[in-house]
Amino acid sequence: MTALKLCPLLSASLLLATFLIPTFLAEPCSAAFIPGNNITVERDGMTWNYDEKITDNEAVFFRNLIDVETGDSDGFVNAWEILKMEVLLSGKMEESIEEEPDVKLNSTSDPVELKNVEFRISKDALGRTEKKSAITNSASVTYSFKEEAGPGTDIWLMGTPNSSVTITLPQGLDVELTEGFDNKSLEFKNNRTLLKGNFGSEKNITIWLSENETFKAELQSMEMNKDKSAENGSEENATQASGEKAEASQRTGFFNNILKEINRA
């Protein structure tokens, strides 16, 4: 497949342009497609989910690419060919990330370990290669951190210029400062901070983590209430024990009086 034929595909698929096409092209083309990014950061690692949608003529080119590269060039895409293309793209994506890391912790990729890469192609790709119906591609990349992310940690991410991104921060952490983040907005959902916006024109984002003071105050308040409940519980138990002892003493005195009356009789 020639570079001329693949150029329209490059304008539609960033993931393909980045991870697959260099293997097949002798000359470059520019990629203009903008994917979505959903990043979930934990203290010990993170997951980066990508998604993209290919439509119209670009969908035709992508079906042809599957048919040629992992099929039998019969003008039809079947499930087995899609599965093989997913494996191929996952491998190319992993190679690309290992050659040029897209995540750094405290300005170095050393503490970041690539754990898993999975590329998925929608079953909508099935059928005749000339179909123009939309195809959705997605990818999920999982990383582990050799050192815990916490207050004072900075995380560097390399994405696509102007692409949308949502970053979910670890519970209890907030963002103190960002760089390269356009149209930034903050949300707080399920006790976690969500940072939304776009990668800037330089394609790199850096976020500096800090402690979430609201979350910290709530935890302290919960601990204080827990301690008070424990103290109140101890006092209630002591009062109850004292009452039971007094009641037992009263019952003992009552029976003693009865025995005395019987003896007198």
Side-chain angles (χ1 to χ4, degrees):
M1 188 167 284
T2 66
L4 179 62
K5 290 182 179 180
L6 286 174
C7 276
L9 177 60
L10 286 183
S11 66
S13 173
L14 173 85
L15 292 179
L16 292 177
T18 303
F19 306 118
L20 175 64
I21 302 305
T23 304
F24 304 122
L25 293 182
E27 56 186 89
C29 294
S30 60
F33 185 80
I34 300 174
N37 305 273
N38 198 316
I39 301 170
T40 301
V41 181
E42 305 293 351
R43 292 179 182 266
D44 60 353
M46 59 172 273
T47 301
W48 190 330
N49 293 317
Y50 305 80
D51 64 84
E52 64 179 16
K53 191 174 184 179
I54 302 175
T55 60
D56 300 324
N57 289 333
E58 285 76 14
V60 175
F61 280 104
F62 183 48
R63 288 185 173 92
N64 274 287
L65 181 65
I66 296 174
D67 189 35
V68 171
E69 297 302 334
T70 59
D72 52 10
S73 301
D74 63 349
F76 189 89
V77 176
N78 61 43
W80 178 241
E81 292 169 349
I82 289 177
L83 179 60
K84 288 193 290 183
M85 179 58 88
E86 288 177 335
V87 173
L88 175 62
L89 290 172
S90 295
K92 294 299 178 183
M93 192 171 187
E94 184 173 353
E95 288 175 11
S96 178
I97 294 173
E98 288 177 343
E99 289 175 4
E100 186 177 11
D102 57 354
V103 179
K104 295 181 181 179
L105 216 63
N106 297 322
S107 303
T108 176
S109 60
D110 293 342
V112 182
E113 183 178 358
L114 181 62
K115 300 296 289 186
N116 185 61
V117 177
E118 184 177 359
F119 198 105
R120 294 176 294 274
I121 300 171
S122 169
K123 64 180 181 180
D124 294 331
L126 291 167
R128 303 301 303 177
T129 55
E130 67 268 16
K131 285 172 56 178
K132 292 186 177 182
S133 56
I135 303 170
T136 301
N137 293 329
S138 61
S140 180
V141 184
T142 305
Y143 308 81
S144 65
F145 298 155
K146 298 176 185 177
E147 56 186 53
E148 187 176 278
T153 299
D154 64 81
I155 302 176
W156 177 91
L157 307 165
M158 182 175 66
T160 307
N162 306 315
S163 63
S164 63
V165 58
T166 297
I167 302 175
T168 301
L169 300 182
Q171 191 176 59
L173 295 181
D174 213 332
V175 59
E176 181 178 5
L177 181 67
T178 68
E179 187 176 277
F181 215 127
D182 291 346
N183 305 316
K184 181 178 62 178
S185 65
L186 287 173
E187 294 181 15
F188 195 66
K189 186 177 181 181
N190 297 327
N191 292 325
R192 299 180 71 154
T193 297
L194 273 64
L195 189 61
K196 294 185 175 183
N198 302 86
F199 278 92
S201 58
E202 297 299 319
K203 80 177 182 179
N204 301 325
I205 285 178
T206 304
I207 60 175
W208 283 264
L209 302 179
S210 62
E211 197 162 32
N212 187 307
E213 294 300 328
T214 301
F215 186 77
K216 180 181 177 181
E218 289 178 353
L219 283 181
Q220 291 175 340
S221 177
M222 289 172 61
E223 288 296 325
M224 290 175 63
N225 291 334
K226 183 179 178 181
D227 292 340
K228 286 181 180 179
S229 297
E231 291 175 2
N232 292 336
S234 298
E235 292 177 0
E236 290 176 1
N237 290 337
T239 302
Q240 183 178 357
S242 177
E244 290 173 350
K245 184 177 181 181
E247 186 178 350
S249 177
Q250 291 172 359
R251 285 200 296 267
T252 301
F254 174 75
F255 286 118
N256 280 337
N257 290 334
I258 291 179
L259 289 174
K260 288 178 181 178
E261 292 296 329
I262 292 175
N263 290 330
R264 288 198 191 105

